[in-house]
Amino acid sequence: MASSNGLICFTNCLLPQEDGALVEKDLWIDERRGVILDSQRTFFLRKERPDRIIDLGGNILSPGFLDIQINGAYNFDFSVYEGDDAAYKEGLHRVAEKIVETGVTSLLPTIITQERSLYPKLLHLLRPYSAPNSATLLGWHAEGPFIQLAKRGAHAPEFLMGAKEEIKSFESVYGAENLVVAEDWLMGSEATGDALGVRVITAAPEVDGVMVSIPELARRGVVFSIGHSIATTALATAAVQGGARLITHLFNAMPQLHHRDPSIIGLLGASPHLSSPSELTDLGLTKGKVAEMSFERPFYELIVDGIHSHPNSVRLAYSSYPDGCVLITDAMKILDPHLPDGVHPWRDGKNFVKAGDKLYLEGTDTLAGSVVSLDKCVRNFSRFTGCSLGEAIRCATYNPARCLGIEARKGTLRPGADADLVVLDRKGRVQSTWVAGREVWTRA
Ligand code: ZN
């Protein structure tokens, strides 16, 4: 018998394409290198035979999902650090190991506004991480402290800050070493080295010193995301022209759509040509030939639990700009598909009440964040918008990968990409999950 070559061929399956189509096709991967292969080259040119042929029985073989905003899961909160590095890492790795059952193979742990001295300790622990049998931690998403007091949501008001020293303020909070240019940090042999950790910063452009810092943050490879903000249309537009690429949990923690000043939400309707040059010039935010500027709309995050945004709002956003849609969970530590409904401890002696995908503070009707899993968001999204499962999958794979600029490696089935895969039945339910060419979870 010939020696094993580590090649696996998935057959009898539908492959989601980058345009949202589902196409019946085989997929070849190299289990040893953990990458997707060019099946034409492998089979027809090199005449290789696979070690294993896996018949998926007509199921969907999707790229693994990416969750770029998640606060915790499996009883671990990424924003709670109690001075014990080992315990924190254990919690972090537990989430990475378990979350694959929801189809997520890459995530950005999200840190909400902290007491300033906690950042260096926390962020040091949140460097990119990959381990066998686990989802990849791509770095972190810092939500706050440069956000708007009036739209702070659950963020602690006493820790909010302005950025008076502009980029230096960002460096002093997140650590200058986390904000260095690292062109191809994910392209290296391992993503666990001293590569930068910051991937996304959510901040409010109207907060002192934030707007002028956006171009420099963008230059350093940070995705600047507009959120927890009351930016006017003019300010939100200027932020995008300065390099903002994303809107944090669209509809939540921002002004609602007003027809005369549609603010952040209105960016989804913006024309490719600058809409209000005189207003921006008046604000001193643009110089010179503003009329010639082109405008690329930002990506936008949606929490599709049916609670944080009405299904009609989800459909409205998607209809206006399908290419920018990124599904997130924004989940709290209580996210765990096995957890029953009922009362669960939160912190400071307070309790959560979980009722299906609804989570609120005990004794109130205040929403306490989300508890939905990303695979469920994909199914909800298809139902709410009427789009195909392939198009919904795109919003949890290819779109978030493009937003982070890693679409050559993640969120795609291109040859050379990481073999991070999720098998879904025709209703979008997760059947098995693969990371770097290895099956890491399968439905019992
Ligand atoms: Zn938020």
Side-chain angles (χ1 to χ4, degrees):
M1 192 181 149
S3 63
S4 83
N5 58 10
L7 300 189
I8 298 175
C9 173
F10 295 95
T11 192
N12 190 14
C13 52
L14 293 173
L15 304 185
Q17 306 296 297
E18 291 175 1
D19 64 0
L22 286 171
V23 174
E24 198 178 337
K25 225 171 161 182
D26 291 352
L27 186 85
W28 289 61
I29 65 168
D30 183 334
E31 184 182 22
R32 289 185 301 208
R33 289 194 296 132
V35 295
I36 292 167
L37 298 173
D38 182 333
S39 55
Q40 293 285 332
R41 274 183 66 91
T42 313
F43 183 66
F44 294 107
L45 296 178
R46 285 164 53 193
K47 312 268 186 233
E48 302 236 38
R49 297 272 161 192
D51 263 357
R52 275 205 283 164
I53 296 175
I54 299 177
D55 186 329
L56 291 177
N59 281 335
I60 296 165
L61 180 61
S62 166
F65 300 150
L66 283 80
D67 192 352
I68 67 169
Q69 184 157 4
I70 172 167
N71 303 295
Y74 302 100
N75 204 29
F76 183 70
D77 187 331
F78 300 132
S79 293
V80 175
Y81 173 76
E82 285 164 331
D84 182 343
D85 283 14
Y88 188 88
K89 278 189 172 167
E90 194 274 319
L92 198 59
H93 297 170
R94 184 172 73 239
V95 176
E97 219 174 275
K98 289 184 168 237
I99 198 110
V100 294
E101 68 174 324
T102 69
V104 171
T105 56
S106 295
L107 65 150
L108 281 184
T110 301
I111 305 301
I112 66 163
T113 300
Q114 298 290 318
E115 197 265 304
R116 203 177 154 161
S117 67
L118 265 176
Y119 281 98
K121 293 170 195 156
L122 260 176
L123 300 182
H124 169 72
L125 297 166
L126 281 168
R127 297 206 158 244
Y129 165 86
S130 59
N133 305 319
S134 292
T136 304
L137 305 177
L138 295 169
W140 43 273
H141 178 157
E143 196 188 29
F146 306 105
I147 59 170
Q148 170 61 246
L149 179 69
K151 292 287 177 189
R152 67 185 181 278
H155 293 243
E158 64 273 29
F159 300 143
L160 302 188
M161 288 176 58
K164 285 195 178 51
E165 293 175 64
E166 304 174 359
I167 190 73
K168 286 211 159 29
S169 297
F170 284 84
E171 287 181 342
S172 75
V173 169
Y174 304 133
E177 71 282 7
N178 289 315
L179 292 171
V180 293
V181 182
E183 298 286 356
D184 47 3
W185 67 275
L186 199 66
M187 302 302 164
S189 55
E190 53 169 348
T192 52
D194 54 3
L196 87 172
V198 63
R199 298 301 302 171
V200 179
I201 292 175
T202 291
E206 74 276 16
V207 165
D208 192 18
V210 170
M211 182 72 90
V212 288
S213 307
I214 296 174
E216 181 56 21
L217 289 167
R219 195 187 71 80
R220 298 186 189 193
V222 174
V223 173
F224 183 95
S225 191
I226 305 170
H228 289 272
S229 163
I230 53 165
T232 58
T233 304
L235 278 167
T237 304
V240 174
Q241 288 181 318
R245 274 176 78 73
L246 178 65
I247 301 171
T248 297
H249 44 56
L250 188 79
F251 299 120
N252 294 277
M254 62 187 62
Q256 293 314 295
L257 192 75
H258 188 287
H259 59 296
R260 297 203 188 105
D261 184 1
S263 181
I264 301 160
I265 299 168
L267 291 172
L268 269 59
S271 139
H273 309 290
L274 188 63
S275 51
S276 52
S278 59
E279 199 181 352
L280 295 182
T281 312
D282 293 348
L283 285 162
L285 296 170
T286 58
K287 314 179 202 84
K289 299 178 184 171
V290 288
E292 286 174 25
M293 290 174 119
S294 67
F295 186 84
E296 199 173 327
R297 287 176 286 179
F299 292 91
Y300 56 95
E301 298 177 343
L302 283 175
I303 308 166
V304 192
D305 58 0
I307 294 153
H308 282 79
S309 299
H310 191 278
N312 296 4
S313 307
V314 169
R315 184 159 185 266
L316 191 68
Y318 186 61
S319 319
S320 61
Y321 187 34
D323 288 347
C325 182
V326 172
L327 307 187
I328 56 159
T329 63
D330 199 17
M332 306 300 279
K333 72 168 188 176
I334 207 150
L335 169 65
D336 176 348
H338 311 284
L339 203 67
D341 283 358
V343 180
H344 300 278
W346 185 24
R347 59 185 176 210
D348 311 325
K350 290 180 185 153
N351 289 322
F352 282 126
V353 179
K354 173 178 142 51
D357 287 333
K358 196 168 173 184
L359 190 66
Y360 51 96
L361 286 180
E362 193 183 27
T364 73
D365 50 14
T366 306
L367 284 180
S370 139
V371 70
V372 73
S373 61
L374 198 54
D375 60 319
K376 185 151 188 203
C377 290
V378 169
R379 295 191 296 273
N380 285 344
F381 188 75
S382 170
R383 207 154 48 84
F384 294 174
T385 63
C387 77
S388 71
L389 208 46
E391 289 168 277
I393 286 168
R394 183 177 188 251
C395 299
T397 56
Y398 188 55
N399 287 355
R402 275 195 304 131
C403 175
L404 299 183
I406 58 172
E407 71 274 22
R409 288 283 298 273
K410 304 281 186 195
T412 177
L413 300 178
R414 287 179 200 176
D418 295 337
D420 295 349
L421 304 165
V422 53
V423 178
L424 304 166
D425 69 13
R426 297 288 187 103
K427 292 204 160 110
R429 290 175 302 216
V430 179
Q431 304 302 306
S432 69
T433 308
W434 297 64
V435 173
R438 310 264 169 180
E439 190 174 56
V440 297
W441 184 83
T442 183
R443 186 166 294 284

